Amino acid sequence: MSLSALSLDQWRSFDLPTARRVAHGAAELVGGRVTALETVEHLGAPLHRVRIERDDQEFALIPGGRVTLGFDLDAWRPTPEQSADYAASLEHGFGYGADLREHLAQVLSPRRTVTLATVLMAVEDEELTEASCDMPAVLAARGLRMPSPDEWEHACGAGATTLFRWGDDCPLDRLPSGEPDGPQSRPNAFGLRIAYDTYRTEVSSDTASVHGGDGGESVCGGYGFLLGWLPLATANRNPFMAEFVHGPDGDGLCEDFSTRPVLPL
């Protein structure tokens, strides 16, 4: 079996010695070295977390296979506090629907099943050095590429089906910027620093999507607490922010956006 065909389910079935062999095989394949291998608890079972360094940049192993992405709005029920917080945002003129469910339907990706290759993905996002349309060539010169939206979402959620990578809830008495030790500040299950700051805006290969933040718009604009956290939701594609980033208004602002390079196996 090639490493790129490794599925998340297979990866989770490996004992530590097997995971170590796979990790070192991946590092050798890309000319890097394993810098960390640890086992964490995730979704009620152990998950091995691997970091590989190449050219002074750290990557995490992201097992793929057939995975479920998107947010299941039909199965989700907002808490009374979440509904009330969104209603308060509506009163101030913010929100894209008459209720929270309508709003989420416009900003989250739909439930779906896809098949992804196993890849190495940068632990940290990096700021764009050129316009987003020119970044594929910049990354290709380093043997890297942009992630697809599906790859980004899978890497962020790591199999979790909740609204955020840490669960369905977020603090409703403070914004992410006022919660420096909150759930968004911890590495995710794969060891990525991802969906951690709403002031960030990560671009992927799809110009209709951005991820992991909205440049701070929601936390600076008085949107309300829940809407201030939602840019960190795993399935949030921020289509309205994407239109700005990839449109004429976003020209010349590349240093305000970032991407998370992928190193294929």
Side-chain angles (χ1 to χ4, degrees), residues 128-146:
L128 304 190
T129 56
E130 300 288 344
S132 57
C133 60
D134 296 324
M135 281 304 296
V138 172
L139 293 175
R142 296 160 50 196
L144 306 170
R145 62 170 173 81
M146 282 185 175

Side-chain angles (χ1 to χ4, degrees), residues 3 11 17-34 50 52 61 120 265:
L3 279 177
W11 176 248
T18 303
R20 184 175 291 111
R21 287 197 299 272
V22 171
H24 283 279
E28 183 178 357
L29 193 62
V30 300
R33 65 184 184 91
V34 175
V50 174
I52 292 172
L61 180 69
L120 300 178
L265 291 171

Side-chain angles (χ1 to χ4, degrees), residues 2 14 43 63 71-72 100 106-107 114 125 150 243 253:
S2 69
F14 291 164
L43 302 179
F71 190 64
D72 188 353
L100 181 54
Q106 295 195 55
V107 299
V114 302
D125 57 313
D150 288 347
E243 186 176 355
L253 298 177

Side-chain angles (χ1 to χ4, degrees), residues 86-112:
Y86 180 73
S89 295
L90 276 182
E91 289 181 2
H92 289 87
F94 301 110
Y96 298 126
D99 59 29
L100 181 54
R101 191 178 300 277
E102 284 188 21
H103 175 86
L104 294 181
Q106 295 195 55
V107 299
L108 302 184
S109 67
R111 198 72 163 162
R112 65 205 182 279

Side-chain angles (χ1 to χ4, degrees), residues 71-85:
F71 190 64
D72 188 353
L73 276 171
D74 292 333
W76 174 76
R77 296 294 179 270
T79 66
E81 293 78 13
Q82 288 173 331
S83 295
D85 191 87

Side-chain angles (χ1 to χ4, degrees), residues 13 15 85 96 107 110 148 183 212-213 254 257:
S13 73
D15 58 18
D85 191 87
Y96 298 126
V107 299
S148 71
C254 63
F257 313 130

